Amino acid sequence: MNSRIKKIATGMFERFRHRKITEAELSQAESKAKNLGSYVGDFKLLIAMCKDAITGKFKMNSWNLSIIIGTIIYVVSPVDAIPDFIAVGGWLDDVAIVAYAIRKLSEEIERYKSERLGWQVNK
């Protein structure tokens, strides 16, 4: 991952460490997921993890939850590194942030799939 995306992601996650996410933002995220190409399913999984963590159905530490919230807010925000109204490029930074979050949360995602979804995790 390029260092610029990593710097943006790390700063964003720190900024959203204690932020609450609204139901409206979660709904907006679900509608914008279609723009994330091959990461649609991964992003929807992050949304589900966020909802389950907020409702207490899935326990995760606050840092991991902040990564998810930061990722969701970044995707729904019209103002980010490359604004979404810019054709193609506007979604590339969103995809990069989602990919970064997926990598950082790989163990948490596997635990979620196993505990909440009953998926067999292949190691």
Side-chain angles (χ1 to χ4, degrees):
M1 164 162 300
N2 96 27
S3 61
R4 187 175 73 85
I5 294 293
K6 185 176 181 180
K7 184 177 178 180
I8 290 169
T10 303
M12 178 186 63
F13 299 144
E14 188 61 43
R15 188 171 20 147
F16 294 116
R17 189 172 190 154
H18 300 291
R19 186 183 184 290
K20 304 284 185 205
I21 192 164
T22 67
E23 188 62 42
E25 289 168 325
L26 290 169
S27 294
Q28 189 178 12
E30 288 174 346
S31 69
K32 288 192 169 199
K34 67 185 179 297
N35 299 313
L36 297 172
S38 63
Y39 285 95
V40 170
D42 293 322
F43 187 64
K44 286 184 176 184
L45 183 64
L46 291 180
I47 295 168
M49 289 175 71
C50 183
K51 287 179 178 181
D52 284 348
I54 290 169
T55 60
K57 294 177 183 173
F58 182 70
K59 302 287 183 209
M60 78 171 76
N61 68 48
S62 61
W63 179 251
N64 287 347
L65 183 56
S66 73
I67 291 172
I68 294 172
I69 289 172
T71 301
I72 292 169
I73 291 170
Y74 190 88
V75 169
V76 301
S77 174
V79 180
D80 51 35
I82 304 173
D84 294 342
F85 64 82
I86 296 174
V88 182
W91 288 101
L92 290 178
D93 65 320
D94 293 355
V95 168
I97 292 296
V98 171
Y100 182 77
I102 296 300
R103 278 195 301 279
K104 294 299 279 184
L105 296 168
S106 62
E107 289 179 21
E108 193 76 68
I109 289 168
E110 294 305 319
R111 188 172 70 82
Y112 179 78
K113 288 177 178 178
S114 176
E115 289 180 21
R116 284 292 298 151
L117 305 178
W119 293 1
Q120 184 102 29
V121 178
N122 295 326
K123 295 243 175 185

